[in-house]
Amino acid sequence: MESEPVVHITSLVKRYGDKTAVDGLDLTAAPGITAVLGPNGAGKTTTIETCEGYRRPDSGTVRVLGLDPVKQSAKLRPRIGVMLQSGGVYSGARADEMLHHVAKLHAHPLDVDALIERLGLDSCGRTTYRRLSGGQQQRLALAMAVVGRPELVFLDEPTAGLDPQARHATWDLVRDLRRDGVSVILTTHYMDEAEQLADDVAIVDAGQVIAQGSPEQLCRGGAENTLRFSGRPGLDVGSLLKALPTDSAAAELTPGSYRVSGQVDPQLLATVTSWCAQHGVMPEKISVERHTLEDVFLELTGKELRG
Ligand SMILES: Nc1ncnc2c1ncn2[C@@H]1O[C@H](COP(=O)(O)OP(=O)(O)OP(=O)(O)O)[C@@H](O)[C@H]1O
Ligand SMILES: [Mg+2]
């Protein structure tokens, strides 16, 4: 069954003065966890804030849970949870008060005390927001985004600057949200975070989505992969190459150490091992180097720094 997208954006344009932050962006997010990746200044926060109804598109359409986030904000707000990149929390209140307050605004909130414990905020309850450490403020902002048990949660760099324990606690929380049927749209600069969590990844560059797919799909497409094996020195690489698909390459890098590159799939692995069998070679230390999301990201968005 095709499910309705939780976010559907077509041709979104958003300018700040003469700066075009979002430049005709199309993005459809299905239920589940969608990670939005992109260099600094690519337009991720602007896009997310437009979905949250905080920014009005200059042109294009944005639908979140089927609703217009600006014109139908009263209907949409209770159904979404929001964690802003810049905090955006009033600062004088105590952490536990803030959380209990937000929970009371919703019909079926999560258990506040359990959430406080999960996110390691127990010791922070009586502290005012302003006196929490950066990471503690962030965890509280995350707790506030999810405590109302929304249908869809927007998390803008939820784990930036968190210690490893808090990152893992955040990941567990996001996974639990998915298990409970909550959809999550998150931005991150941590490629491992996207690989760990996301069902779907959208890569944004210069205000447009330039690639989208599951982490596996993105890593499989495009770039070549590498298979390495070691065996006796001086094998006939030319003969091996003849057995391989035409777009492959094979080389003996150092005596007895071989590299095959091309579309490395199960068929290619089978071809290499059967060639070895035919030539009485026992390949040792066979390894396949898969492209990581970081490789793909850098390939698509370039390596130069962005402002
Ligand atoms: N309020 C604003 N006024 C003027 N320009 C803005 C404003 N907010 C963002 N911009 C500009 O719009 C562009 C996109 O910014 P945005 O915050 O959406 O990027 P981002 O992808 O979230 O980046 P980061 O990874 O650094 O968070 C940037 O060039 C930024 O300088
Ligand atoms: Mg941002």
PDB file of all heavy atoms in Angstrom, residues 45 85 156-157, ligand 2:
ATOM      1  N   THR A  45      18.030  24.166   7.001  1.00  0.00           N
ATOM      2  CA  THR A  45      17.236  24.775   8.075  1.00  0.00           C
ATOM      3  C   THR A  45      16.102  25.612   7.498  1.00  0.00           C
ATOM      4  O   THR A  45      14.966  25.563   7.989  1.00  0.00           O
ATOM      5  CB  THR A  45      18.149  25.630   8.985  1.00  0.00           C
ATOM      6  OG1 THR A  45      19.073  24.751   9.636  1.00  0.00           O
ATOM      7  CG2 THR A  45      17.354  26.379  10.039  1.00  0.00           C
ATOM      8  N   GLN A  85      17.310  24.378  15.278  1.00  0.00           N
ATOM      9  CA  GLN A  85      18.770  24.344  15.317  1.00  0.00           C
ATOM     10  C   GLN A  85      19.291  25.344  16.340  1.00  0.00           C
ATOM     11  O   GLN A  85      20.248  25.090  17.050  1.00  0.00           O
ATOM     12  CB  GLN A  85      19.348  24.669  13.934  1.00  0.00           C
ATOM     13  CG  GLN A  85      20.879  24.620  13.896  1.00  0.00           C
ATOM     14  CD  GLN A  85      21.435  24.698  12.490  1.00  0.00           C
ATOM     15  OE1 GLN A  85      20.732  25.028  11.537  1.00  0.00           O
ATOM     16  NE2 GLN A  85      22.703  24.370  12.347  1.00  0.00           N
ATOM     17  N   ASP A 156      16.419  19.455  13.874  1.00  0.00           N
ATOM     18  CA  ASP A 156      17.473  20.115  13.099  1.00  0.00           C
ATOM     19  C   ASP A 156      18.802  19.947  13.837  1.00  0.00           C
ATOM     20  O   ASP A 156      19.030  20.579  14.862  1.00  0.00           O
ATOM     21  CB  ASP A 156      17.124  21.598  12.905  1.00  0.00           C
ATOM     22  CG  ASP A 156      17.878  22.224  11.741  1.00  0.00           C
ATOM     23  OD1 ASP A 156      18.788  21.577  11.187  1.00  0.00           O
ATOM     24  OD2 ASP A 156      17.560  23.385  11.393  1.00  0.00           O
ATOM     25  N   GLU A 157      19.642  19.074  13.352  1.00  0.00           N
ATOM     26  CA  GLU A 157      20.935  18.722  13.972  1.00  0.00           C
ATOM     27  C   GLU A 157      20.774  18.338  15.446  1.00  0.00           C
ATOM     28  O   GLU A 157      21.382  18.940  16.327  1.00  0.00           O
ATOM     29  CB  GLU A 157      21.939  19.871  13.804  1.00  0.00           C
ATOM     30  CG  GLU A 157      22.236  20.151  12.342  1.00  0.00           C
ATOM     31  CD  GLU A 157      23.475  21.023  12.158  1.00  0.00           C
ATOM     32  OE1 GLU A 157      24.375  20.970  13.015  1.00  0.00           O
ATOM     33  OE2 GLU A 157      23.529  21.743  11.146  1.00  0.00           O
TER      34      GLU A 157
HETATM   35 MG    MG B   2      21.003  24.506   9.464  1.00  0.00          MG
END
